[in-house]
Amino acid sequence: MPEPGPGEVLVQVGAAGACHSDLHLMHEFDAGALPWGPPFTLGHENAGWVHTLGAGVRGLEPGQPVAVVGAWGCGTCQRCLDGLETYCERPDLAPVPGGGGGLGLDGGMAEFLLVPAARHLVPLPDGLDPLGAAPLTDAGLTPYHAVRRSQAKLGPTATAVVIGIGGLGHLCVQVLKATTAATVVAVDPRGSAHDLALACGADLALPPGDDLLDQVREASHGRGADVVLDMVGSDDTLAAGAACVRQLGDLTIVGLGGGTLPVSFFGIAYEASVQTTYWGNRRELVEVLDLGARGLLRSESTLYTLADAVQAYRDLAHGTVSGRAVVVPSDRYAG
């Protein structure tokens, strides 16, 4: 069991999400592509209970339910002081350059998680337990951050297209419905994903294909999508998103599918913006957890025991997980 040093906090893990990006870490990134490498324990989407406080930690109590902020920056550069530790400007001073628990350092696929600073913990609001909170720390926070970047373009007459209704996509639909008045169109080849999207509040669920652009235009009164949020990021989905986005719209690439999008003057609608996002910040996580506690944001989760965590990743790779795969280290949530 890890021993927390000064300023550190030991968390008993209640739940840890299995993220599709972990598969990229396992199989796709060449040696040297990241500033760190194995061995380390996976699991960057975590919630649990405070177990032990290191010397000098204030404001937390043993037994208190908490969510873990995933990106661990240096804490002293301007980005970190602004709460944007995902974009730490001094990664050489961070616990691990450009990463955190489950990303270069031991994460939550274990009974206990050592967190290097109390600022990386957010107390859970009433009405939300660690099982419900864990997927929201990434699968909820990442689309929330992406939606906030385009908030000004998501008024009542706007249309938002979400491509890929998996772990992130089904929560993206809920974020859009909870925080905007836009019409939400979900795109996925699977019928089960259509059912999930509609259950999450999507106004329309469509398969990809030659008719997609016409169907999106019909749903948007001929204009096209004001905002496209691509949760996949493959060549095909990027091309579909670029075709659907309207003039002055946003195409936001969230998924790590490895695709590329050629951009030229006539290759995309005039003044459309193509942007990427990475995770979200602590303040946004507080807001996401509040939405979860109020019942406005809920992860559809498939549970696995810690002993079956490898199977969770197999199922994730084969696309057979409904919603988010969540690993539960203890029997607290059995049944």
Side-chain angles (χ1 to χ4, degrees):
M1 183 184 295
E3 282 283 335
E8 298 178 337
V9 180
L10 185 65
V11 172
Q12 180 183 357
V13 178
C19 183
H20 204 276
S21 61
D22 290 336
L23 296 177
H24 297 293
L25 288 176
M26 293 179 194
H27 304 300
E28 296 177 16
F29 292 147
D30 295 331
L34 296 169
W36 36 261
F40 58 88
T41 302
L42 289 171
H44 58 265
E45 190 176 71
N46 307 302
W49 302 271
V50 173
H51 186 272
T52 310
L53 301 175
V57 174
R58 301 289 183 268
L60 296 169
E61 298 293 337
Q64 184 175 8
V66 291
V68 182
V69 180
W72 299 344
C74 71
T76 57
C77 73
Q78 191 59 55
R79 296 290 191 202
C80 285
L81 291 175
D82 287 340
L84 305 176
E85 300 206 28
T86 44
Y87 306 126
C88 175
E89 295 177 314
R90 289 300 307 270
D92 56 307
L93 301 179
V96 61
L103 297 168
L105 291 175
D106 286 340
M109 299 287 176
E111 289 86 355
F112 293 91
L113 170 62
L114 185 62
V115 179
R119 72 177 186 276
H120 300 313
L121 297 176
V122 176
L124 296 189
D126 292 341
L128 189 64
D129 64 9
L131 180 59
L136 300 184
T137 63
D138 182 358
L141 177 59
T142 296
Y144 184 81
H145 177 74
V147 169
R148 279 183 61 91
R149 279 182 58 99
S150 298
Q151 196 80 35
K153 299 182 181 180
L154 290 167
T157 62
T159 300
V161 172
V162 181
I163 301 178
I165 309 301
L168 271 70
H170 85 288
L171 285 162
C172 186
V173 169
Q174 294 177 60
V175 169
L176 286 163
K177 298 304 290 187
T179 65
T180 81
T183 297
V184 178
V185 178
V187 178
D188 197 288
R190 301 166 297 168
S192 59
H194 293 181
D195 294 339
L196 178 58
L198 294 171
C200 290
D203 298 285
L204 184 64
L206 301 172
D210 295 337
D211 296 332
L212 178 61
L213 176 56
D214 290 338
Q215 291 174 302
V216 169
R217 283 182 174 165
E218 182 178 354
S220 59
H221 306 287
R223 294 188 295 261
D226 296 85
V227 177
V228 177
L229 299 140
D230 186 351
M231 302 291 146
V232 181
S234 69
D235 286 342
D236 290 342
T237 60
L238 289 172
C244 290
V245 71
R246 66 177 295 195
Q247 294 176 5
L248 296 171
D250 286 349
L251 169 56
T252 301
I253 306 168
V254 180
L256 300 178
T260 57
L261 176 66
V263 176
S264 63
F265 190 88
F266 296 109
I268 195 167
Y270 293 141
E271 291 199 41
S273 298
V274 179
Q275 55 196 25
T276 61
T277 63
Y278 176 50
W279 223 333
N281 58 58
R282 189 186 191 281
R283 174 179 52 80
E284 290 170 334
L285 179 57
V286 171
E287 295 169 356
V288 165
L289 296 175
D290 183 74
L291 290 174
R294 292 160 56 196
L296 298 173
L297 197 57
R298 179 182 178 276
S299 174
E300 176 78 15
S301 298
T302 302
L303 302 187
Y304 297 82
T305 66
L306 185 57
D308 290 332
V310 173
Q311 186 61 47
Y313 284 110
R314 291 193 187 105
D315 293 345
L316 198 61
H318 289 112
T320 59
V321 176
S322 177
R324 199 63 161 174
V326 177
V327 174
V328 180
S330 71
D331 60 359
R332 187 180 291 231
Y333 295 112

